[in-house]
Amino acid sequence: MSPRAYVSNGCIKAGVVVATTALCCFAAAHEPGSSVKFTDVAAASNIKFKHDNAATTQRYLIETMGSGAAWIDYDNDGYLDLYLVNSAETPTYKPARPIRSALYHSNGDGTFADVTEKAGVAARGLFGMGVAVGDYDNDGFEDLYVAGYSRSILYRNNGNGTFTDVTSKTGVANLGKWASSAAWFDYDRDGKLDLVIANYLDFTPANNLICVEQGRRAYCHPNKYHGQTPTLFHNNGNGTFTDVSRASKLGQKHGNGLGVVCFDYNGDGWTDVFVANDSMENFLYVNRGNGTFEEVAVEAGVAFDEDGKAEAGMGTDAADYDRDGFPDLFVTHLDLEYNRLYRNQHDGTFRDATFSAKIGAGTFKMSGFGTRFFDYDNDGWPDLFIANGHVLDNVQLLHAGTTYAEPKTIYRNTRGIFHDVTPQLGSDLATPRVSRAAAFADYDNDGDLDVLVTNSGDYPQLLRNDGGNRNHWLEVRLVGTRSNRDGVGSKVKVLAGGAVQAEEAKGGMSYQAAHDPRLHLGLGASARVGLLEIDWPSGAITKLSNLAADRCITVKEDFGEIPSHCPALNKTKVLNP
């Protein structure tokens, strides 16, 4: 969707634009106060998975960076299931029990059952990192890509509760690369999902360096190793992919890639790619619409901080936080740096808005990984979640006031200004963990967004949102026909309560995570949606009017709204740990 396709980013009254900013007119919503709490229900939900970081005295860097998580409704029963990524043995780590990743099936009552062996997705022997979910063959069943160190795995969903490892057949093993995060997106708009991978360092146990801090063996800084180029696999439409990294010009520069988000930052209708790089300049690849990309991060103003310094880019997301119709960008960093908010200037460039939006000072002592814009209280303004945790287990010896395990952070967006409201949202957010991935979903189908956070060497946390649905909401599942079936790359415009919201079905986001495929729209006090407009990658446009709020809907390209399966949990077993 081009910028002009939004019609207006202002307020609507009797069909006339009465202001040029949504700041003046969004419908009044319930204030969150203590009405929203995040409760960790992982244990009560029967999620027994524990991550193994394979840590040894050798201090291999691969011990520090995982692991990923994905929400995936693999059996299309309307309940989101959960995939959790694990590590593997190394030359110096030989655990007594085999290490494997895990798939948990939702029982529809708030609990999960481990179905890993039945489904065939254990990924044994893979030192896993991130995960991406997408229907690459457009058969209506979501497939699973597990990104890992030295190789990756693509599991094709067979549609019967099982998966098949098709990595060799499809050609997406990414051999010799340390894949961190991956994203499905349709860069050439041919109706088939392609795959982009943020690769990290040229590390092997054989080239493991010995680094010492204050007389103790420590993990080496990533700049001690060479970076790796990103990978782009083109979907050939016949069950195979072609590595077009060099031909597309997306894989020409070496980076220390950790996070990736695919979004149309300049509004030209072609999906672009942002890669957060660790301790070097970030990459922003503008899609030229002819099968090639151009790296423009420096010119666009997102390569460095406002002082021209490279930072430890890890997690990333893009969303229209200030409601002006253009997607903005957020990147998390290590302690002694600031997480960065880049505001879209509508001209192909961004401005560092970290301090003007008031999210700077509170992040200086924290190390952010998984992150996303998410409207936790459904007031129509994208808030920010950050999963924190350092990479150095002895960091307290090096940085005064910094700890290895850290609490989560939630910033509430109040019309473009952010406020740290973490203390108001429940004690489970304050529990220190060495957190990595953050995967977002309305897993209980109650109309507010929940968060699954992975923790290095520990159990995950499933932070259930209790009370976010006091305001109105709408969740939209896209089904492409001419476009890719997942609708990735689609633009959605919503008119409700006299204001305009713009959203996009993006690829990637956060860190090593895959999320609820539904677009979640907080509507504040608006009980109806005046207009829902979808601009599909194919160029088709779907318009729906006068929609009731507080429900999930499914919209199919060229057909409109179709029946949606979004069952509520069995209320007799709702968890209250």
Side-chain angles (χ1 to χ4, degrees):
M1 182 185 294
S2 66
R4 64 179 178 274
Y6 284 112
V7 181
S8 165
N9 301 312
C11 306
I12 309 297
K13 185 174 182 180
V16 178
V17 178
V18 296
T20 57
T21 173
L23 298 180
C24 63
C25 64
F26 197 77
H30 291 292
E31 290 296 319
S34 60
S35 64
V36 179
K37 299 291 184 185
F38 285 88
T39 305
D40 182 5
V41 297
S45 299
N46 199 38
I47 299 172
K48 299 179 180 179
F49 175 90
K50 185 178 182 181
H51 177 247
D52 189 333
N53 59 14
T56 70
T57 57
Q58 292 302 305
R59 303 291 194 183
Y60 293 148
L61 273 178
I62 54 174
E63 302 167 8
T64 67
M65 304 310 294
S67 64
W71 292 105
I72 173 175
D73 183 6
Y74 74 95
D75 56 354
N76 287 345
D77 66 352
Y79 296 110
L80 285 166
D81 312 299
L82 177 63
Y83 189 78
L84 296 165
V85 181
N86 218 332
S87 65
E89 68 175 38
T90 70
T92 57
Y93 185 71
K94 308 291 183 182
R97 297 182 61 183
I99 303 173
R100 66 170 174 86
S101 297
L103 176 63
Y104 283 89
H105 176 260
S106 173
N107 296 323
D109 61 2
T111 68
F112 294 82
D114 189 333
V115 295
T116 310
E117 301 304 330
K118 177 183 177 182
V121 290
R124 288 185 177 88
L126 175 70
F127 204 111
M129 292 288 162
V131 58
V133 171
D135 184 4
Y136 80 89
D137 51 3
N138 287 334
D139 68 350
F141 291 91
E142 298 292 331
D143 309 297
L144 195 63
Y145 188 77
V146 188
Y149 164 72
S150 80
R151 66 182 179 94
S152 300
I153 297 174
L154 176 58
Y155 289 112
R156 181 183 180 272
N157 190 333
N158 298 321
N160 61 2
T162 69
F163 292 76
T164 298
D165 183 342
V166 294
T167 312
S168 297
K169 176 183 177 181
T170 54
V172 293
N174 202 38
L175 293 174
K177 297 289 187 73
W178 177 351
S180 178
S181 298
W184 294 102
F185 77 125
D186 185 4
Y187 79 91
D188 55 356
R189 300 195 316 202
D190 65 352
K192 300 178 290 292
L193 287 177
D194 311 298
L195 182 65
V196 63
I197 304 169
N199 297 307
Y200 193 37
L201 303 176
D202 185 17
F203 166 88
T204 67
N207 70 6
N208 187 43
L209 300 174
I210 297 176
C211 296
V212 177
E213 293 283 354
Q214 296 190 1
R216 298 188 181 190
R217 182 78 181 265
Y219 293 104
C220 293
H221 192 279
N223 284 351
K224 296 288 185 181
Y225 298 90
H226 295 295
Q228 295 184 321
T229 57
T231 303
L232 178 61
F233 288 112
H234 176 259
N235 189 334
N236 299 322
N238 60 1
T240 68
F241 291 76
T242 299
D243 187 340
V244 295
S245 307
R246 297 290 295 179
S248 67
K249 301 183 181 180
L250 191 141
Q252 292 186 340
K253 296 180 68 173
H254 289 77
N256 301 340
L258 287 178
V260 61
V261 60
C262 304
F263 69 114
D264 181 10
Y265 85 92
N266 58 3
D268 66 355
W270 297 90
T271 304
D272 312 299
V273 179
F274 176 82
V275 177
N277 283 317
D278 187 1
S279 303
M280 63 169 289
E281 70 269 19
N282 301 313
F283 295 156
L284 177 60
Y285 293 96
V286 59
N287 189 336
R288 292 305 182 193
N290 60 3
T292 68
F293 293 81
E294 181 181 358
E295 204 287 292
V296 297
V298 173
E299 299 90 328
V302 295
F304 306 102
D305 70 8
E306 60 185 354
D307 296 320
K309 176 188 173 185
E311 295 179 301
M314 288 165 319
T316 185
D317 192 21
D320 181 15
Y321 84 91
D322 54 358
R323 305 291 305 280
D324 66 355
F326 289 80
D328 311 292
L329 189 63
F330 185 69
V331 188
T332 59
H333 300 292
L334 277 179
D335 68 315
L336 308 188
E337 299 173 343
Y338 298 105
N339 295 331
R340 293 289 165 183
L341 177 64
Y342 298 100
R343 184 176 184 271
N344 196 319
Q345 297 290 92
H346 313 174
D347 59 1
T349 69
F350 293 78
R351 176 178 61 82
D352 191 330
T354 304
F355 288 94
S356 61
K358 300 189 184 300
I359 61 171
T363 68
F364 188 67
K365 287 290 186 178
M366 309 287 274
S367 298
F369 275 86
T371 188
R372 268 202 72 182
F373 290 100
F374 81 131
D375 187 0
Y376 77 88
D377 55 358
N378 286 339
D379 69 349
W381 294 88
D383 312 300
L384 265 173
F385 180 97
I386 307 168
N388 301 299
H390 212 278
V391 295
L392 303 178
D393 56 2
N394 59 353
V395 68
Q396 72 278 1
L397 301 176
L398 310 174
H399 301 166
T402 299
T403 59
Y404 182 43
E406 298 174 329
K408 317 294 180 286
T409 308
I410 294 182
Y411 287 95
R412 184 170 188 250
N413 183 352
T414 54
R415 292 167 169 74
I417 302 298
F418 290 88
H419 302 275
D420 186 346
V421 294
T422 313
Q424 303 173 33
L425 301 180
S427 59
D428 288 341
L429 293 170
T431 305
R433 292 287 188 272
V434 184
S435 298
R436 294 295 181 257
F440 295 74
D442 180 10
Y443 86 95
D444 49 5
N445 289 339
D446 68 349
D448 49 34
L449 286 172
D450 315 291
V451 192
L452 187 288
V453 180
T454 67
N455 298 304
S456 180
D458 205 347
Y459 297 95
Q461 294 163 283
L462 177 52
L463 298 169
R464 188 185 64 196
N465 185 331
D466 295 325
N469 55 11
R470 291 183 67 214
N471 284 317
H472 296 292
W473 54 275
L474 186 73
E475 291 174 351
V476 182
R477 179 66 188 265
L478 302 175
V479 178
T481 53
R482 287 181 282 163
S483 303
N484 65 85
R485 187 177 176 90
D486 289 345
V488 177
S490 298
K491 309 286 184 62
V492 175
K493 180 180 69 176
V494 175
L495 302 181
V500 184
Q501 284 191 64
E503 183 59 278
E504 180 177 355
K506 303 181 291 288
M509 301 172 285
S510 189
Y511 174 80
Q512 298 185 351
H515 316 278
D516 192 331
R518 297 170 293 187
L519 296 178
H520 183 94
L521 300 159
L523 302 175
S526 301
R528 303 196 72 83
V529 172
L531 175 67
L532 173 70
E533 180 176 314
I534 302 167
D535 190 341
W536 302 85
S538 68
I541 296 177
T542 300
K543 294 183 180 182
L544 303 173
S545 59
N546 195 25
L547 299 172
D550 303 327
R551 63 193 180 102
C552 309
I553 68 170
T554 300
V555 183
K556 187 173 182 179
E557 184 179 15
D558 298 327
F559 288 86
E561 185 177 357
I562 62 174
S564 186
H565 188 47
C566 185
L569 293 183
N570 183 342
K571 296 299 184 180
T572 64
K573 297 183 179 180
V574 171
L575 300 170
N576 289 295

